[in-house]
Amino acid sequence: MRTLADPSLGSVRVMLKADDNKPRKLKYNLGHPRILTFGGAYSNHIRAVAAAGRERGIETIGIIRGEEHLPLNPCLAHAVACGMRLGYLDRATYRLKHTPAVQEMLRERWGEVAILPEGGSNAAAVRGCAELPGEIGEPYDVICCAVGTGGTLAGISAGLPEGRRAIGFPVLKGGGFLAGEVERLQHEAYGRIWPNWRLETGYHFGGYAKTTPELDAFAAHHGVEKIYVAKMLYGVLDLVRQGAFAPGTRIVALVTSGILER
């Protein structure tokens, strides 16, 4: 882990831990020989499922939001190179992808498949992410992560030792609804809900994949990507400077989307 050197943090210690959450979400989701999942045209989840399918000899199908555009962008081209077959749903149907009617339609088209949700967040993914806290060797008090679908936060919270807590930073505008998703995922995975986490919804910078010149500069300065990690890290540092953490607090900020070498 890399500790941030910033005098404005005072005695609060912020440590960056690079940890790709996609393999964790997939760890207990790869027991079926044919997997179908969903994502946008630039989905990291689609890339991860395709790569896992190639590595493990699993047939993968990616259902992409919107119309097909050729040539394929680098993300989808990589997925196809890994052996993933692609299908497309118009945006209205895509919004109903979780419904029995749409899933039955997909099974009629693609055959018998295990269907993973967009982003991979389900009970099995929560169990995979719950293993993360136990792998942190440094003493810590708080784990912070970006939140897209809620699965990573749900798992981290479930895996925390007694007395530790987790804070999630939604990258979506109006991300307060994700609190219900975290609770639902925890209940599906473990039959209970943990009280050791909260959301900070004020650091979305306009919504998913939105950015500002300030956030761009911040991401470049700290060597992190700006869709997820920069928003979370900006929020962590802002809260520290506001006095939201007691002196001496040790914070692990998860870099789930890759950290640039510095």
Side-chain angles (χ1 to χ4, degrees), residues 4-47:
L4 291 185
D6 187 333
S8 69
L9 300 179
S11 64
V12 174
R13 185 182 181 199
V14 177
M15 299 167 281
L16 301 186
K17 176 176 172 54
D19 192 282
D20 186 354
N21 61 344
K22 298 304 181 186
R24 293 186 184 278
K25 287 184 172 183
L26 293 176
K27 180 175 180 179
Y28 299 113
N29 268 308
L30 297 177
H32 196 281
R34 304 182 74 238
I35 291 176
L36 179 149
T37 194
F38 306 90
Y42 292 89
S43 168
N44 287 329
H45 173 65
I46 289 290
R47 287 176 60 100

Side-chain angles (χ1 to χ4, degrees), residues 135-154:
E135 298 173 11
I136 298 176
E138 296 274 352
Y140 67 91
D141 303 295
V142 184
I143 297 181
C144 296
C145 67
V147 179
T149 56
T152 300
L153 178 61

Side-chain angles (χ1 to χ4, degrees), residues 15-16 19 26-27 40 63 66 68 71 80 82 110 149 153-154 166 201 210 225 231 241 247:
M15 299 167 281
L16 301 186
D19 192 282
L26 293 176
K27 180 175 180 179
I63 304 301
E68 180 182 31
V80 170
C82 289
W110 298 101
T149 56
L153 178 61
T201 60
K210 298 292 181 64
E225 62 82 30
K231 293 180 178 182
R241 290 161 184 155

